[in-house]
Amino acid sequence: MRVSGSKNAALPALAASLLTADEVILDNVPDIEDVGRFGEILASLGAEVERPERSRFHIRAKNIVNTDAPSDIVATNRASFLVMGPLLARFGEAACAPPGGDVVGLRPVDVHLAGFRALGAEIGRRGDQLVARARELRGARVFLDYPSVLGTQNVMAAAVLARGTTAIINAATEPEVVALADLLNAMGARIYGAGTQTIEIEGVPELHGTRHTIIPDRIETGTWVIAGVITNGEIDVVGCRPTHVAALLAKLTEAGARVEEHDDHIRVISNGALRGISVQALPYPGLATDLQAPIGALLTQARGVSFVHERVFDNRLLYIGELRKMGAEVVSAGSTAVITGPTHLYGTTVRALDIRAGAAVVLAGLAAEGRTEIRDAYHLDRGYEDLERKLRGLGAEAVRHEGQPAPEPVGAG
Ligand code: EPU
């Protein structure tokens, strides 16, 4: 199973292209809904966006004609807010609606706004939009109340063109933050310490174009590793970075799966004797919240009682209702799911409630007896490239029934 480029690294990379008038070329970009929509946002701002190959973008943000992100797209894609930092830095003004309601819990943008303010911006409202303005951004010490991933990326992107030095304290340490810093540094920025909780940025007057490869998707990596375990199978996940899923591999090993790590390749071998475990979803390098639902699906097949604590978002256990429809014994109390297993799962009609809740029902469907029908599958298209083709490659029977209307998704992901 070859892993695609990372959704959550591709979106900030697309946003970063707004920081220069030169061409930025991005390779290994996943062909998924959220990326396509982000390309539309860039085009609506006046950037020239070309996709000469499915996985390659050429972006030239030379003639930016406006600094207002289109609200209809923003409402469907939370990452749209990532245009704020680059636009503010380069043009002194940026406007974007606060990203819409969400199914995984409250997702405010106060961390982003406090960071922009610390750099000297004024924040106001215009209609449905938040507007950030600054005649000049000045480097500052910026403390983040929470190590928000998009918040860190937005503030980092704003600070690269600020006058003087910025220190982001309590920064997110996710690999997608490091990947963005690598891209920005290749464009001429001076960012040090990305991947640690303090990031230092020496402002530079301007950035230039570059060519950059998107890192492999660690959540897709984890999803396929779990697919191997839940089907008692043997899967080689290739083109991935095993260190990015170290927490997952440790927990799977604890549960009794056999996992072999190589440079860019993970082999998982399962003998069906899984034990119940306790997991906590935390900021990196803790176990990724985006893998919490897939792990919840897996633990329905483990012997004994498992506890799944969600500690990043406040409402990310809704998928357990879908697992229950398939026969799982799982209850929740607050942000904790208690799963008793192993249970025999039965295929039935379930919903993909968001991208990762969708992955959980796909995984449960692989282990279930009979046919699982997944409604609202458009959520899966937002984050997983070629899902049915890849599932079929592993031996699953997966077909898409067209004709289901795809309502506008709310801003998860
Ligand atoms: N938070 C605040 N204030 C803020 C921002 C966030 O309190 O201003 C809180 C949120 O309420 C939440 C916590 O911080 O409880 C974590 O949110 P974070 O900001 O770190 O998440 P995000 O940056 O909005 C990204 C990913 C998510 C992933 C999270 C956590 C992208 C596009 N999205 O979101 O990915 O779950 O980090 O790792 O990078 C997905 O891919 O399905 C997905 C939801």
Side-chain angles (χ1 to χ4, degrees), residues 165-186:
T165 301
T166 296
I168 306 178
I169 319 283
N170 198 28
T173 60
E174 270 68 4
E176 295 78 18
V177 173
V178 179
L180 175 62
D182 288 345
L183 166 59
L184 293 171
N185 283 340

Side-chain angles (χ1 to χ4, degrees), residues 32-66:
I32 51 176
E33 274 297 306
D34 277 13
V35 160
R37 285 183 179 251
F38 211 97
E40 287 171 32
I41 296 180
L42 297 180
S44 80
L45 299 173
E48 291 166 40
V49 181
E50 283 170 26
R51 207 169 179 174
E53 282 170 30
R54 190 172 178 229
S55 63
R56 194 161 91 223
F57 270 75
H58 291 217
I59 306 138
R60 190 189 293 269
K62 191 167 175 206
N63 300 312
I64 293 300
V65 288
N66 82 71

Side-chain angles (χ1 to χ4, degrees), residues 84 101 142 173 187 243 265-266 271 299 329 410 412:
M84 291 290 280
V142 182
T173 60
M187 294 168 72
T243 52
H265 162 192
I266 299 167
N271 60 8
L299 292 175
E329 270 186 53
V410 283

Side-chain angles (χ1 to χ4, degrees), residues 7-8 11 78-79 106-112 146-151 174 289-290 312-313 316 355-356 412-413:
K7 166 175 87 76
N8 291 346
L11 300 173
R78 179 173 175 84
L106 199 63
R107 293 175 74 184
V109 285
D110 53 303
V111 167
H112 308 227
Y146 186 93
S148 159
V149 179
L150 295 179
E174 270 68 4
T289 169
D290 291 339
V312 176
F313 291 107
R316 216 177 194 187
I355 304 175
R356 311 306 172 187

Side-chain angles (χ1 to χ4, degrees), residues 299-306 329 339-343:
L299 292 175
T300 65
Q301 302 308 300
R303 180 163 304 280
V305 177
S306 294
E329 270 186 53
I339 303 169
T340 308
T343 43

Side-chain angles (χ1 to χ4, degrees), residues 374-379 381 400-409:
I374 299 169
R375 295 283 170 102
D376 298 345
Y378 61 87
H379 278 300
D381 299 331
R400 177 175 300 253
H401 289 286
E402 298 295 348
Q404 227 194 89
E408 284 299 300

